[in-house]
Amino acid sequence: MKNRFRIDRSHTEIIKKSMIAKVRAFLKSTDLEPPYLLIDKTRLQRKAHSIGRNIKNSKVFYAVKANGDIEILKLINRMGLGFEIASEGELESLASIGVDKEKIITSNPIKSFRFLRSAAEYGVPYYSFDSKDEVRKLRDYVPGCNVYVRLSVPNEGSEWPLSKKFGVELDAAEELLLYARKKGLKPIGLTFHVGSQCTNIYNWNSALDKAKILWDRMAKEGIKLSVLNIGGGYPIRYRKSVVDISSIDKNINSLIYEKFPRNTQIFIEPGRAVVGDAGVFVSKVIGRAKREDEDWLYIDVGVFHGLMESVGGIKYSYIVQGSKQVRKWTLAGPSCDSFDVIDRDIFLPEPEIGDLVLILSSGAYTTSYASEFNGFSIPKTILI
Ligand SMILES: Cc1ncc(COP(=O)(O)O)c(C=O)c1O
């Protein structure tokens, strides 16, 4: 007989009982071989609807990089949301389902030539930038397009900081917007990203303070900005509880109300918060071993096939089929690479070979990061 799933409060604080019931019903109905990623449609739709609801004059553009599965994109498109993209591949997916060009923006400040060509051809209307080279590229490929500059803002307290790679300080941002105008582009606003999985609500405060300074400086230069793109960063619960979306948005809304003109158009680009906690990876135990004094548990999905963020500090929660006592494990993936270690010092009931391990809150930055390293296929995504 199969072992039962060991579910306790630490799990039901993360995943709703109704979602566990859906996952169980799916598992009962299928003989599909793990690993695969299940996405709960209802949860995804609820999350997507909740973002921006408390921010006046806001439009949501789902960051496709979080999970570009075509069925997810169709669902989000049917909900009427827009999309934020970074590559020709993401654009091709949107084109294949007939997404209106007006619903697409790109906030990748450094774009490949191939992407610029396809974005210009499709008619993508909004582009971010943070260098003079990019202004010249945009002038050549998408003359006259709308541009917003990427401002660098503090990412402290974000579990996945982004700011060092992109963004410029105030003086450079001002100079770049003026340069963009000189080159015939339309400087319409600014963008920032507080860092992904941002658990520090004050990051939005300092980002908006800085944005306001640039906004006013540009007005003095005769450039009336109209778009404030606040990026993504909304956190989801992996283990620890996080501040909820409505509190974050109410705070952002009151800061915007205080600082910016009433008709400012707000763009939001959430990725993780839309799909992350709607996802559950289903994986299978393929090995156990004792190495010196450590107990190792091997499952059929690893760092290279979906759980890359575990290496960068994301701590997943696991529901295990296991009847024996709880022990401390080192959890590893199936590849022959020693980098393929998902977690250390985690307490789980001992499973048998062939038992399932459910990995919670795993809908974002998992399959979209996955490779076929070592010959393992990229896990399928299934909407339930
Ligand atoms: C430009 C841009 N927008 C939006 C996002 C989505 O961020 P998150 O998944 O933290 O909401 C990212 C993530 O890397 C990004 O780089």
Side-chain angles (χ1 to χ4, degrees):
M1 207 185 71
K2 275 233 152 273
N3 279 325
R4 292 165 65 84
F5 284 111
R6 294 263 287 265
I7 300 174
D8 59 37
R9 246 189 80 200
S10 72
H11 301 120
T12 51
E13 279 171 355
I14 299 167
I15 179 171
K16 290 209 171 344
K17 285 188 180 147
S18 57
M19 189 166 152
I20 299 181
K22 263 190 173 180
V23 171
R24 277 185 196 277
F26 179 83
L27 293 175
K28 245 188 188 164
S29 71
T30 188
D31 50 14
L32 191 67
E33 186 64 21
Y36 49 84
L37 175 66
L38 297 179
I39 296 283
D40 181 350
K41 285 189 276 191
T42 317
R43 176 89 182 144
L44 185 155
Q45 283 169 310
R46 275 208 195 118
K47 289 297 298 289
H49 271 312
S50 68
I51 298 168
R53 208 165 50 192
N54 290 296
I55 302 183
K56 286 209 184 76
N57 225 5
S58 66
K59 279 191 196 163
V60 172
F61 298 86
Y62 168 63
V64 174
K65 62 181 79 71
N67 192 324
D69 176 76
I70 200 76
E71 297 304 321
I72 293 178
L73 301 182
K74 284 183 194 165
L75 184 67
I76 290 174
N77 194 34
R78 284 198 294 275
M79 292 173 68
L81 304 189
F83 297 90
E84 188 278 317
I85 58 168
S87 68
E88 66 280 7
E90 290 180 344
L91 181 57
E92 258 169 48
S93 296
L94 297 184
S96 75
I97 59 169
V99 174
D100 181 358
K101 64 178 187 207
E102 295 299 330
K103 286 166 67 180
I104 305 174
I105 62 174
T106 173
S107 297
N108 181 354
I110 312 272
K111 289 162 281 299
S112 74
F113 294 107
R114 197 183 282 195
F115 176 43
L116 280 174
R117 265 194 297 274
S118 55
E121 200 180 294
Y122 201 75
V124 172
Y126 295 98
Y127 297 79
S128 85
F129 72 107
D130 62 3
S131 66
K132 285 191 173 171
D133 281 340
E134 197 69 7
V135 170
R136 289 188 287 268
K137 278 160 67 190
L138 287 164
R139 174 204 58 195
D140 293 346
Y141 283 82
V142 210
C145 67
N146 300 306
V147 289
Y148 42 83
V149 72
R150 170 87 169 246
L151 197 53
S152 122
V153 297
N155 273 206
E156 274 85 38
S158 290
E159 290 180 25
W160 205 265
L162 306 166
S163 247
K164 290 224 168 82
K165 183 167 176 191
F166 294 123
V168 289
E169 289 301 325
L170 286 166
D171 289 348
E174 180 178 346
E175 195 189 333
L176 282 169
L177 285 166
L178 292 170
Y179 186 69
R181 178 173 68 178
K182 205 165 120 198
K183 295 292 166 194
L185 307 181
K186 291 190 200 85
I188 52 134
L190 62 95
T191 186
F192 58 75
H193 200 298
V194 293
S196 200
Q197 186 65 6
C198 178
T199 50
N200 177 10
I201 198 165
Y202 297 109
N203 275 8
W204 280 279
N205 295 43
S206 32
L208 288 167
D209 282 346
K210 207 162 172 180
K212 164 74 174 156
I213 296 173
L214 183 60
W215 202 274
D216 290 348
R217 280 204 199 171
M218 295 324 295
K220 282 199 191 123
E221 296 285 354
I223 295 185
K224 202 164 167 268
L225 300 180
S226 59
V227 171
L228 175 61
N229 181 336
I230 62 172
Y234 296 91
I236 60 167
R237 182 160 187 170
Y238 287 98
R239 286 187 197 166
K240 287 180 284 179
S241 73
V242 292
V243 57
D244 59 287
I245 287 171
S246 78
S247 306
I248 293 174
D249 276 0
K250 282 177 188 162
N251 175 49
I252 291 173
N253 189 54
S254 68
L255 293 169
I256 291 174
Y257 188 82
E258 221 174 80
K259 298 175 195 295
F260 293 87
R262 292 288 166 269
N263 57 355
T264 304
Q265 177 70 64
I266 313 301
F267 287 2
I268 317 176
E269 306 173 342
R272 188 183 301 278
V274 176
V275 280
D277 46 12
V280 172
F281 244 113
V282 178
S283 68
K284 204 173 235 186
V285 174
I286 56 168
R288 290 173 298 184
K290 183 113 190 143
R291 308 201 188 282
E292 297 181 4
D293 56 352
E294 273 181 57
D295 285 308
W296 286 70
L297 191 62
Y298 298 84
I299 58 176
D300 57 7
V301 63
V303 164
F304 299 101
H305 317 105
L307 302 177
M308 177 63 87
E309 282 202 326
S310 64
V311 179
I314 296 294
K315 297 276 174 217
Y316 294 102
S317 295
Y318 313 92
I319 295 178
V320 174
Q321 270 183 332
S323 56
K324 293 197 198 146
Q325 75 188 80
V326 168
R327 317 219 335 223
K328 192 160 84 173
W329 298 96
T330 302
L331 184 66
S335 73
C336 270
D337 196 298
S338 56
F339 191 65
D340 195 5
V341 176
I342 305 156
D343 221 328
R344 291 178 188 277
D345 300 331
I346 41 153
F347 289 88
L348 302 171
E350 179 164 6
E352 297 296 333
I353 296 297
D355 278 350
L356 297 182
V357 175
L358 306 181
I359 304 165
L360 308 187
S361 299
S362 55
Y365 304 110
T366 49
T367 43
S368 57
Y369 270 158
S371 76
E372 292 193 342
F373 172 63
N374 228 181
F376 296 93
S377 311
I378 294 177
K380 277 201 178 89
T381 300
I382 301 158
L383 272 58
I384 56 172

